[in-house]
Amino acid sequence: MSMKGKDLLSVHDLSLAEVEQILHLARELKAKQKRGEEHHLLKGKTLGMIFQKSSTRTRVSFEAGMWQLGGMALFLSANDLQIGRGEPVKDTARVLSRYVDGIMIRTFSHDEVIELAKYADIPVINGLTDLLHPCQALTDIFTVLECKGRLKGLKMAYIGDGNNMVNALLHACAKVGMDIAVATPAGYGPHAGAVAEAQADAGISGSKIVLGHDPLAAAADADVIYTDVWASMGQEQEQAARAKIFQDFQVNRALMDAAKRDAIVLHCLPAHRGEEITDEVMESAQSVIFEEAENRLHVQKAIMALVMGNEKGAVKK
């Protein structure tokens, strides 16, 4: 199966076979890197990286990943592009298609990413929007697979804000047959459209999706505990108000005690220690948060290799 030329805007858009292909290649590329073996699957290729939101992990992992794959990446902020001065997205898409081999965009509006992909003749990778964070969600299930050896039938509990992260995790879990229980304050649940898409996939995979407002109930017998910041980028002015609303949704030792004894803890970072997660839990033996952060590199390398040049997903010898 070839993914060459395919956009990656949402995990929901991928087939199960494509998700498995990404996870398999990520595992191969990670092993090659650990052995110090070259894997220049994108030699001579260039990735244009559009950033309208700041980043640590997204920029460094994509930029380093392209270099390790034998290509190069161009950092393009809104200040660097005419898109920041009013050039239509469709014009930017058609111009960049003539210069680079792929585009990664990290921005606010998901519609902007959809329009970019519509008019670009090259693959577009969603590095984050206010609606979805698909590269992170694929990284998360890859990390679970590494730790647990399987995905289908496991239970993830997501505790906190119903933001782009949980929307993407609903897609990812439903696609691979993982159960997911979401606990958010009333009025702060996940996007209805993302829930509907996940439920459609769950009907195929057998995944169970439970939405509620009780963190302990969600965490009961969970194999994975997941959380994210209570106020995402662009919501900083709501930080104080959200801290009060979300105070009972902290991932702490009491919540971990409701999960399975061997449950792992994930967080997409950056973390506000002492708010959505305690320092004790983040530094505990159950935390694989920094392994998860590392895996952004390997999973995104797999995505880039598959959509920008490596048609079959097999690492060249």
Side-chain angles (χ1 to χ4, degrees):
M1 178 195 304
S2 174
M3 291 181 65
K4 187 172 183 178
K6 186 180 180 74
D7 300 317
L8 200 159
L9 309 187
S10 164
V11 179
H12 176 65
D13 296 337
L14 301 174
S15 67
L16 175 59
E18 288 170 335
V19 171
E20 291 174 339
Q21 192 175 13
I22 291 168
L23 300 180
H24 177 73
L25 182 57
R27 183 168 59 246
E28 289 193 17
L29 292 177
K30 183 173 184 178
K32 272 194 168 278
Q33 180 171 320
K34 297 299 183 185
R35 294 194 299 264
E37 299 174 14
E38 284 189 354
H39 41 283
H40 290 172
L41 303 181
L42 294 179
K43 186 175 182 179
K45 301 278 188 175
T46 303
L47 176 73
M49 305 189 303
I50 301 174
F51 281 87
Q52 301 203 57
K53 279 190 174 185
S54 59
S55 167
T56 297
R57 280 148 293 277
T58 299
R59 177 178 178 179
V60 176
S61 57
F62 270 106
E63 194 163 335
M66 271 302 290
W67 184 85
Q68 292 169 15
L69 289 169
M72 67 173 292
L74 299 173
F75 174 79
L76 305 167
S77 73
N79 294 329
D80 299 319
L81 295 172
Q82 294 297 331
I83 197 171
R85 299 177 61 245
E87 181 175 53
V89 170
K90 61 184 179 182
D91 291 356
T92 299
R94 287 181 285 200
V95 169
L96 289 181
S97 294
R98 288 158 172 78
Y99 295 154
V100 300
D101 302 286
I103 300 170
M104 188 284 298
I105 180 168
R106 181 179 172 92
T107 189
F108 293 89
S109 169
H110 193 73
D111 288 341
E112 185 175 34
V113 177
I114 292 174
E115 185 175 11
L116 186 72
K118 178 180 178 180
Y119 287 97
D121 295 326
I122 54 177
V124 172
I125 300 169
N126 177 5
L128 175 141
T129 66
D130 284 347
L131 179 64
L132 295 172
H133 199 352
C135 292
Q136 180 68 60
L138 288 166
T139 296
D140 297 332
I141 60 172
F142 176 75
T143 305
V144 174
L145 183 60
E146 277 192 324
C147 293
K148 299 294 185 179
R150 64 187 177 98
L151 294 172
K152 192 171 181 64
L154 296 180
K155 177 185 176 181
M156 175 183 288
Y158 178 94
I159 313 297
D161 185 30
N163 57 18
N164 52 4
M165 197 61 256
V166 70
N167 294 336
L169 286 168
L170 282 163
H171 285 162
C173 289
K175 188 69 67 173
V176 300
M178 279 186 69
D179 298 339
I180 181 168
V182 177
T184 68
Y188 290 86
H191 187 271
V195 173
E197 290 172 340
Q199 287 173 333
D201 283 336
I204 300 170
S205 70
S207 170
K208 297 176 184 177
I209 299 172
V210 178
L211 307 180
H213 309 299
D214 185 340
L216 290 175
D221 295 321
D223 300 282
V224 183
I225 300 291
Y226 201 113
T227 191
D228 191 10
V229 293
W230 291 337
S232 299
M233 274 187 275
Q235 299 174 332
E236 288 81 3
Q237 72 281 1
E238 302 176 29
Q239 180 69 43
R242 282 172 170 260
K244 294 180 181 178
I245 294 168
F246 284 81
Q247 61 183 342
D248 294 329
F249 290 80
Q250 183 185 72
V251 174
N252 51 33
R253 179 45 53 193
L255 186 132
M256 291 304 302
D257 286 344
K260 290 182 179 177
R261 293 185 64 181
D262 63 348
I264 59 172
V265 179
L266 299 177
H267 191 307
C268 56
L269 299 177
H272 292 172
R273 295 178 185 233
E275 292 184 11
E276 75 274 4
I277 188 169
T278 62
D279 193 73
E280 177 192 9
V281 171
M282 193 156 176
E283 296 293 342
S284 72
Q286 291 174 277
S287 170
V288 291
I289 290 169
F290 293 101
E291 289 83 352
E292 173 192 11
E294 177 192 335
N295 284 337
R296 283 287 298 278
L297 174 68
H298 309 300
V299 171
Q300 288 164 183
K301 282 163 64 176
I303 292 168
M304 291 188 290
L306 288 167
V307 304
M308 291 174 62
N310 185 5
E311 296 191 14
K312 295 184 179 179
V315 179
K316 295 177 183 177
K317 301 299 182 184

